[in-house]
């Protein structure tokens, strides 16, 4: 595995592959890698000739009171994991090069970015799409691999790539979970021992609700209201949202249809968790 | 000259040139072509192997109460002019293809876009950069040619191209003027016979002020205040702004330095005119 930092090094590392017309699979990460990230790299390895994984805690996607400074960072461990699962190039971009002094661009999909997580994190998705549009133009991969766990991010990224006309395929990879169903997330390390089972109740309740939504059509509002109560009863401190949405527009749907997505964001203690299940 | 409408036709028309590694010069226009546009095409012809001129009245860059509907359109005359000055490909994109239903992207450089013309036209430059980022990614020209008349547009476009990392050179072409100094603009056709000499006073006054600014250093605020009075005395109905700015940041400068830009927007009757002169 080649480790590169500057875009010049990245260009040199990929030059031969580009000449030969090899396909390039790209896995963007913020480090603190877990099996969810590794599944993305493995899927890229399976489908593309060359796999580039990036590790970069993107400052643009953190709000002023969020955990940018405290976000877990462990470069050495992350690089070891990238190599182990077969990444060909690990790219550690620098903020200085991606966002030099005077940088003033915003690339956004405002409507899709303002709903759901966007209500509590109004600048988050614009931070993601600004960074990712720049990186996808620079790297020009064949495909970018994103986890379904961050479902809204996946939808926003698909829209950005399509609307900007970037020649990149966005490939979704299913969420990887702990044995008890908790979706893997770098932020799970924030959970206390007592909070851990409460966090696991999120997926269990989402799965139950999905079964109800599939069978009890026409009762969406009632199922969601009951779901919010169940989450609180399970020990969740706050339900930021629990919604059934169209999987492309993210619009709330009044009646469950195949392909809809049940999406949720909750607080367990001070830790914010998100998850989603297809209906 | 080849005339194309769809991006597929455009791709085919350029395929051979791309294979041969020819340089592609791109001139974006909204039609209603005048000698200012033709100077852009001629400069592209001089510097690049293949010249693509587009004609497209971009709906995104018009505000809700602006002249999108009434903006002058004359495709046949425009195509004749493109051919006459040597464009190789005239591209007439469709709104349906550039901005299909569900299009929700915004590409913007908010700070540079909110000052000067951005104060009266808050969505204008985001409309320009959203359209142009998409077109530059799609067309992938070697260089894009822009007139200095729309100076803020030039600065905003340079910032967008740089921040997004697009491999395109932005080339500025000096403003083309009538014999009396009036900067050519498609909107000059809106001027009545009586308004025409008032419109011409804009450039004369800007030139006078520039001479003063070059010689009377430290008196910027006084020179600009006198300039605003002169414009009104010349018959201009409203001075939207008259500022001396840094030519990259567009920040007002308290003291004139070589390379600063004196920029103005005025109303002559109901017609909005802009112009600028280098100090």
């Amino acid at each position: 595995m080649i480790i590169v930092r500057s875009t010049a090094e990245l260009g040199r590392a990929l030059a031969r592959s580009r000449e030969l017309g090899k396909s390039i699979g790209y896995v963007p990460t913020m480090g603190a890698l877990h099996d969810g990230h590794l599944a993305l790299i493995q899927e890229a390895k399976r489908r593309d000739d060359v796999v580039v994984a990036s590790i970069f805690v993107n400052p643009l996607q953190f709000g002023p009171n969020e955990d940018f400074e405290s976000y877990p960072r462990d470069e050495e461990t992350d690089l070891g994991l990238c190599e182990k699962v077969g990444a060909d190039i690990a790219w550690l971009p620098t903020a200085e090069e991606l966002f030099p002094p005077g940088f003033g661009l915003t690339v956004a999909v405002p409507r899709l970015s303002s709903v759901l997580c966007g209500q509590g994190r109004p600048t988050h998705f614009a931070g993601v799409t600004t960074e990712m549009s720049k990186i996808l133009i620079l790297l020009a991969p064949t495909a970018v691999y994103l986890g379904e766990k961050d479902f809204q991010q996946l939808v926003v990224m698909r829209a950005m790539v399509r609307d900007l006309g970037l020649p990149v395929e966005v490939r979704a990879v299913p969420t990887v979970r702990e044995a008890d169903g908790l979706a893997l997330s770098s932020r799970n390390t924030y959970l206390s021992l007592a909070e851990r089972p409460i966090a696991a109740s999120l997926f269990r309740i989402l799965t139950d609700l999905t079964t109800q939504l599939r069978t009890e059509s026409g009762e969406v509002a009632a199922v969601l209201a009951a779901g919010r109560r169940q989450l609180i009863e399970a020990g969740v401190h706050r339900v930021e949202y629990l919604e059934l949405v169209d999987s492309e527009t993210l619009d709330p749907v009044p009646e469950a249809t195949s392909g809809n997505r049940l999406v949720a964001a909750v607080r367990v203690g001070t830790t914010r968790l998100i998850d989603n299940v297809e209906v």
Side-chain angles (χ1 to χ4, degrees), chain A:
Chain A
M1 185 178 78
I2 305 171
I3 299 169
V4 298
R5 290 180 195 269
S6 71
T7 56
E9 289 174 284
L10 177 69
R12 284 195 294 275
L14 282 168
R16 187 83 186 119
S17 299
R18 289 202 208 278
E19 266 177 39
L20 296 173
K22 290 190 183 292
S23 77
I24 298 169
Y26 172 51
V27 178
T29 84
M30 300 213 299
L33 301 185
H34 52 60
D35 285 351
H37 298 108
L38 303 186
L40 299 176
I41 298 176
Q42 286 161 328
E43 178 69 4
K45 189 79 189 163
R46 205 175 64 74
R47 299 187 62 177
D48 287 308
D49 302 326
V50 180
V51 175
V52 179
S54 66
I55 299 172
F56 179 61
V57 184
N58 170 24
L60 302 187
Q61 72 188 69
F62 288 81
N65 297 313
E66 292 182 0
D67 54 349
F68 175 65
E69 293 299 333
S70 63
Y71 195 86
R73 289 165 172 88
D74 184 352
E75 197 174 292
E76 207 176 323
T77 305
D78 288 338
L79 289 174
L81 290 169
C82 285
E83 176 143 41
K84 193 177 144 200
V85 292
D88 299 291
I89 298 173
W91 177 32
L92 303 134
T94 62
E96 292 68 34
E97 203 175 1
L98 286 183
F99 313 121
F103 183 89
L105 184 80
T106 301
V107 177
V109 191
R111 205 196 59 74
L112 291 174
S113 301
S114 64
V115 297
L116 304 177
C117 288
Q119 294 190 284
R121 309 184 72 190
T123 61
H124 171 69
F125 291 109
V128 172
T129 43
T130 300
E131 180 224 25
M132 287 305 301
S133 59
K134 178 154 198 175
I135 283 184
L136 294 181
I137 286 168
L138 167 68
L139 180 63
T142 312
V144 57
Y145 293 82
L146 300 172
E148 288 188 342
K149 198 271 244 163
D150 297 297
F151 188 73
Q152 186 174 8
Q153 171 174 277
L154 177 65
V155 171
V156 166
M157 282 286 293
R158 278 196 202 286
M160 184 274 279
V161 164
R162 178 199 66 209
D163 286 356
L164 204 47
L166 292 173
V168 179
E169 197 178 321
V170 178
R171 293 182 183 152
V173 176
T175 303
V176 178
R177 299 179 181 280
E178 302 282 4
D180 61 4
L182 177 65
L184 295 197
S185 163
S186 305
R187 289 188 172 101
N188 289 353
T189 57
Y190 299 159
L191 293 165
S192 72
L193 214 59
E195 288 166 346
R196 188 60 189 65
I198 301 170
S201 72
L202 175 58
F203 178 62
R204 197 182 59 242
I205 292 171
L206 287 182
T207 308
D208 286 353
L209 295 173
T210 309
T211 309
Q212 290 176 52
L213 287 166
R214 281 196 196 111
T215 51
E216 298 166 35
S217 64
E219 296 297 329
V220 172
V223 170
L224 295 178
R228 288 182 199 107
R229 281 195 303 273
Q230 287 170 49
L231 285 164
I232 296 295
E233 281 159 20
V236 159
H237 296 84
R238 191 150 63 87
V239 180
E240 290 196 0
Y241 61 80
L242 172 68
E243 298 290 348
L244 182 69
V245 298
D246 180 278
S247 59
E248 279 181 31
T249 65
L250 299 181
D251 288 335
V253 294
E255 219 170 302
T257 317
S258 173
N260 289 164
R261 208 90 187 179
L262 183 65
V263 292
V266 301
R267 294 270 175 181
V268 174
T270 56
T271 305
R272 189 173 181 280
L273 299 175
I274 58 174
D275 204 346
N276 67 88
V277 176
E278 189 176 1
V279 173

